[in-house]
Amino acid sequence: MTTTRKDNGRPRADARTGTSGGARRRAKGSSTLASERREHLVKLAAELFAEKGYQATTVRNIADEAGILSGSLYHHFDSKESIVDEILTSFFDELAAANQAALAEGGEPREVLSELVRICFGTLVPHRAAIMVLQNDWNYLKQFDRFDYLNKAEAETERLWVGQIKRGQESGLFREDIDPKLTYRMIRDTIWVTVRWFQPEGRLDADGLADHYIKVLFDGISQHR
Amino acid sequence: MTTTRKDNGRPRADARTGTSGGARRRAKGSSTLASERREHLVKLAAELFAEKGYQATTVRNIADEAGILSGSLYHHFDSKESIVDEILTSFFDELAAANQAALAEGGEPREVLSELVRICFGTLVPHRAAIMVLQNDWNYLKQFDRFDYLNKAEAETERLWVGQIKRGQESGLFREDIDPKLTYRMIRDTIWVTVRWFQPEGRLDADGLADHYIKVLFDGISQHR
Amino acid sequence: MTTTRKDNGRPRADARTGTSGGARRRAKGSSTLASERREHLVKLAAELFAEKGYQATTVRNIADEAGILSGSLYHHFDSKESIVDEILTSFFDELAAANQAALAEGGEPREVLSELVRICFGTLVPHRAAIMVLQNDWNYLKQFDRFDYLNKAEAETERLWVGQIKRGQESGLFREDIDPKLTYRMIRDTIWVTVRWFQPEGRLDADGLADHYIKVLFDGISQHR
Amino acid sequence: MTTTRKDNGRPRADARTGTSGGARRRAKGSSTLASERREHLVKLAAELFAEKGYQATTVRNIADEAGILSGSLYHHFDSKESIVDEILTSFFDELAAANQAALAEGGEPREVLSELVRICFGTLVPHRAAIMVLQNDWNYLKQFDRFDYLNKAEAETERLWVGQIKRGQESGLFREDIDPKLTYRMIRDTIWVTVRWFQPEGRLDADGLADHYIKVLFDGISQHR
DNA sequence: CATGAATGAGCTTTCATTCAT
DNA sequence: CATGAATGAAAGCTCATTCAT
């Protein structure tokens, strides 16, 4: 048995931290190479999923891009689903970690919320494909049990945001007449959906977008003298 | 020559205005009946597209829902594409008309913008399927030339919104430090994306949602003394 | 029951002679009108079969051409096969009659053969479609029992031609070293296949073609002093 | 990059000359084997096309004959069209090469023409299917752009034949009162159409047929004392 | 006679996946 | 690890034909 991960596609803890256990086990480091190959394939697939959509991307498309035959992909992944799973998992894991860190740092609700917004916008470039898939293909992917964990992660995120909004209302910082849950959803969607047209090379980069949005979010578009 | 429309799937003018020319022909009643049957099928398809997505919905799914065989659908439509085309066209036509009407009525930019927002939220229920398809399947559909007209319609809508935002800035009503185009896109996306979780039977109906969003949009979530 | 012929598609004797029995039965002559309508439809179908081929021509193509719906064709014919059957039958009947007449007239084998050749070329215009179908679609149609009669008719024609060739050889008019049956087949094919490129409006009309071919057939292309 | 040819179906030069480049690569042997499999499938398809016609032969028919599923054929070919394309191309390439060789050898027009006739008859057995398809299905296939090259090839062949006929007329060998183009077409058609009834096992083989036809062509069927 | 709706069988093609080599 | 061949299920679509109205 090799260390190649074909089982569930969910990265094990050590795979994410970068301290590959495989390297320790294999003097020659071949499993690390394998892992690099694997990550390369995931990246290629991600690009295609982002561009054409998950369903419209065939495993042959991915294989072609990698210069191999479609059947050969199954040495690295046990299904097309497991590839996208890997893309999504890595995104969610990173996001959750960043969110936790922001929370841990503490501060006024406005500061925390701003930081959460900035974190979201910050994933737009490194996790473009995952967000694109979530925006375009989630309606399809949600039917598979294997992706249930995404709903759980999202619920947890919602809990966290809504908590901050309520805290802001209680401390008199935020208006009383807004619905925390509703407001969270709108913020969330507004941010993620930008992935469809956002161009990192454009006039505004991700940080610029975040700043712009934070302004509007907290104070609206009206002129307040 | 028959009245069955299989050609381009784009509704004729009289079909959109509501003063159905077909009604006048009702003497034989067949053309109206045919049109009703057709509309019924479109509705069934729309429901399925909304729920499962365009690609994941098979023509057999649609036919099953209608209690006929898949081949029989082709008596009414040229192709699967032409069905979704019909759904989208009817949405865009109605939206464009409503937008024009709002513009024509005039008023301060804040009033016009509020009305535009309300119009958008107002389509959430009657055109749920079209909006759902646009959110979930546009990335796929855009590759087909036949849907190019949607891009044109969207460009026109953008022109209209951005015009109002700029007018508001010029008259000192809206902040100078927001980007009109960017702001429009965020508003647009924030509204349409709600289709994914909006439940008309829930706590807030479409009007309630609109009001809530208009508040946040103009004045932000911060408490302004 | 009307006099409309839906049964086997093979014209009854009186239908071919032109002295329509139907006219006698119906004072109003409606059946004659029906017959004209029917013949018109056959003509339209023939044109399409000639141009696109039998298989590639759909009953909808035919109906479209006639300005009716495909189902309506089945009031006149009981199947697509019966339409082509009618086209072929009328061709073969006329050809057989002309051949018989040529035989009956008698004369030297060279004269008779020339006449037979001329008859064949003479059908090129009035029976273009039938000949085209026979050239292009016979390989497909032959599988259906209903067209077996065409083989019999062809066998009879072959008997007749071969008889003349043999008679010519016996009387010393034709070379001894040619195979009668083989020669017949080549003559036959050479003539009919011209339907693919023959243009009645071109440099040579059907008679011109016949004369040209007769020259070559009897004396070859070599210069004989 | 693999050696499997799915692109245009037109054989590469080395595949036609017989000095298979694949043979050199035989070390692994896979590419040669693949090519053999492919050729085998083409042969099976050719047989079916010849017997039932191109349109009437389904890809399932072909797959059944090969003992595989219809979808599996698409591992080897792009489409049904590309299979027949391969059949026709290989025929035309070989014919063109043989014609060129005959021309290059030179000789009196009568000799050259005789050789051309013999070449045509000579393809009757090895390329039976291609010729059959051309006779029966060309009327259908010609509508596809991909087969335009066949028209060009035919035009080139015509140029070549007509040139020889004219040369014969100028040198006084052939009669002046025959139309070169017309004569060519009749010769051409007379030869190819024999594919419909020619049986290599019969009384005359392809050479016998050719000799018989050459006799009639040059000197006619009349007894010339 | 014609319509309009539907049938039912079949079509070519696609595609994720498997597996012996 | 990769290939090449195949599977098997399903996809969108076509078409001759039927039949109640």
Side-chain angles (χ1 to χ4, degrees), chain B residues 5-71:
Chain B
R5 214 174 69 240
K6 279 198 60 177
D7 34 333
N8 74 353
R10 222 73 69 71
R12 292 157 311 206
D14 62 55
R16 263 174 284 142
T17 56
T19 57
S20 165
R24 245 171 272 136
R25 270 184 243 112
R26 196 184 264 273
K28 275 203 81 181
S30 69
S31 89
T32 305
L33 273 174
S35 172
E36 272 165 28
R37 181 87 179 106
R38 184 188 172 86
E39 265 169 55
H40 176 61
L41 293 171
V42 170
K43 209 150 276 172
L44 292 179
E47 217 52 53
L48 287 167
F49 290 158
E51 242 51 63
K52 318 178 39 164
Y54 175 75
Q55 291 174 86
T57 301
T58 70
V59 293
R60 273 196 250 276
N61 288 153
I62 303 171
D64 282 354
E65 206 71 15
I68 58 177
L69 290 178
S70 69

Side-chain angles (χ1 to χ4, degrees), chain C residues 110 135-136 173 175 177 179 189-190 193 196-197 203 212 215 217-224, chain D residues 110 135-136 173 175 177 179 189-190 193 196-197 203 212 215 217-224:
Chain C
R110 179 161 176 152
Q135 290 296 312
N136 295 327
L173 278 167
R175 300 161 60 156
D177 62 346
D179 182 289
D189 293 342
T190 307
V193 92
R196 291 196 176 143
W197 47 263
R203 223 171 344 123
H212 188 279
K215 269 194 311 212
L217 172 63
F218 285 112
D219 299 313
I221 66 173
S222 297
Q223 188 73 267
H224 293 98
Chain D
R110 180 165 175 147
Q135 290 296 313
N136 296 327
L173 278 166
R175 301 163 58 156
D177 62 346
D179 182 289
D189 293 343
T190 307
V193 91
R196 291 197 175 140
W197 47 263
R203 224 170 345 121
H212 188 278
K215 267 192 314 210
L217 172 63
F218 285 111
D219 300 311
I221 65 172
S222 297
Q223 189 68 269
H224 291 97

Side-chain angles (χ1 to χ4, degrees), chain A residues 110 135-136 173 175 177 179 189-190 193 196-197 203 212 215 217-224, chain B residues 110 135-136 173 175 177 179 189-190 193 196-197 203 212 215 217-224:
Chain A
R110 180 161 175 151
Q135 289 296 313
N136 296 328
L173 278 166
R175 300 162 59 155
D177 62 347
D179 182 289
D189 293 343
T190 307
V193 91
R196 291 199 176 140
W197 47 263
R203 224 170 344 123
H212 188 278
K215 267 193 314 210
L217 172 63
F218 286 113
D219 300 314
I221 65 173
S222 297
Q223 189 71 268
H224 293 98
Chain B
R110 178 161 176 152
Q135 291 295 313
N136 296 327
L173 278 166
R175 304 162 56 156
D177 62 346
D179 183 289
D189 293 344
T190 308
V193 91
R196 289 195 177 144
W197 47 263
R203 222 167 348 118
H212 187 277
K215 269 192 315 209
L217 172 63
F218 286 111
D219 299 313
I221 65 172
S222 297
Q223 189 69 270
H224 293 98

Side-chain angles (χ1 to χ4, degrees), chain D residues 27-74:
Chain D
K28 277 203 81 183
S30 69
S31 90
T32 305
L33 273 174
S35 172
E36 273 166 26
R37 181 87 178 105
R38 184 189 173 84
E39 265 168 57
H40 176 62
L41 292 172
V42 170
K43 208 151 276 171
L44 291 178
E47 216 52 53
L48 287 167
F49 290 158
E51 241 50 64
K52 319 179 34 165
Y54 174 75
Q55 291 174 87
T57 301
T58 70
V59 295
R60 267 199 257 275
N61 289 154
I62 303 170
D64 282 355
E65 205 71 16
I68 58 178
L69 290 179
S70 69
S72 306
L73 274 180
Y74 289 79

Side-chain angles (χ1 to χ4, degrees), chain B residues 9-224:
Chain B
R10 222 73 69 71
R12 292 157 311 206
D14 62 55
R16 263 174 284 142
T17 56
T19 57
S20 165
R24 245 171 272 136
R25 270 184 243 112
R26 196 184 264 273
K28 275 203 81 181
S30 69
S31 89
T32 305
L33 273 174
S35 172
E36 272 165 28
R37 181 87 179 106
R38 184 188 172 86
E39 265 169 55
H40 176 61
L41 293 171
V42 170
K43 209 150 276 172
L44 292 179
E47 217 52 53
L48 287 167
F49 290 158
E51 242 51 63
K52 318 178 39 164
Y54 175 75
Q55 291 174 86
T57 301
T58 70
V59 293
R60 273 196 250 276
N61 288 153
I62 303 171
D64 282 354
E65 206 71 15
I68 58 177
L69 290 178
S70 69
S72 306
L73 274 180
Y74 289 80
H75 181 61
H76 303 277
F77 309 96
D78 276 353
S79 65
K80 193 184 165 190
E81 271 178 40
S82 82
I83 303 178
V84 80
D85 196 345
E86 200 151 328
I87 294 166
L88 298 177
T89 303
S90 106
F91 164 58
F92 263 65
D93 286 347
E94 201 165 305
L95 181 61
N99 281 347
Q100 290 304 334
L103 260 281
E105 217 175 301
E108 275 196 31
R110 178 161 176 152
E111 290 317 305
V112 177
L113 239 40
S114 294
E115 183 56 19
L116 291 177
V117 168
R118 257 185 274 270
I119 286 170
C120 286
F121 278 108
T123 61
L124 235 42
V125 169
H127 290 282
R128 178 175 159 271
I131 302 168
M132 204 82 160
V133 164
L134 251 9
Q135 291 295 313
N136 296 327
D137 302 295
W138 174 244
N139 198 37
Y140 172 74
L141 294 174
K142 71 177 181 208
Q143 77 187 284
F144 304 107
D145 290 343
R146 88 175 295 166
F147 297 112
D148 283 351
Y149 72 95
L150 290 175
N151 281 321
K152 284 186 199 112
E154 164 55 18
E156 170 59 17
T157 306
E158 175 167 326
R159 210 184 50 74
L160 188 150
W161 278 76
V162 169
Q164 291 303 310
I165 296 174
K166 284 184 174 162
R167 202 157 68 90
Q169 288 180 312
E170 284 155 15
S171 66
L173 278 166
F174 299 158
R175 304 162 56 156
E176 285 292 341
D177 62 346
I178 58 164
D179 183 289
K181 199 167 145 188
L182 198 61
T183 303
Y184 159 64
R185 288 195 174 170
M186 287 197 161
I187 297 173
R188 175 195 66 186
D189 293 344
T190 308
I191 298 173
W192 298 131
V193 91
T194 57
V195 79
R196 289 195 177 144
W197 47 263
F198 174 58
Q199 287 167 330
E201 314 299 341
R203 222 167 348 118
L204 262 60
D205 60 6
D207 282 342
L209 254 194
D211 288 336
H212 187 277
Y213 181 58
I214 288 168
K215 269 192 315 209
V216 175
L217 172 63
F218 286 111
D219 299 313
I221 65 172
S222 297
Q223 189 69 270
H224 293 98

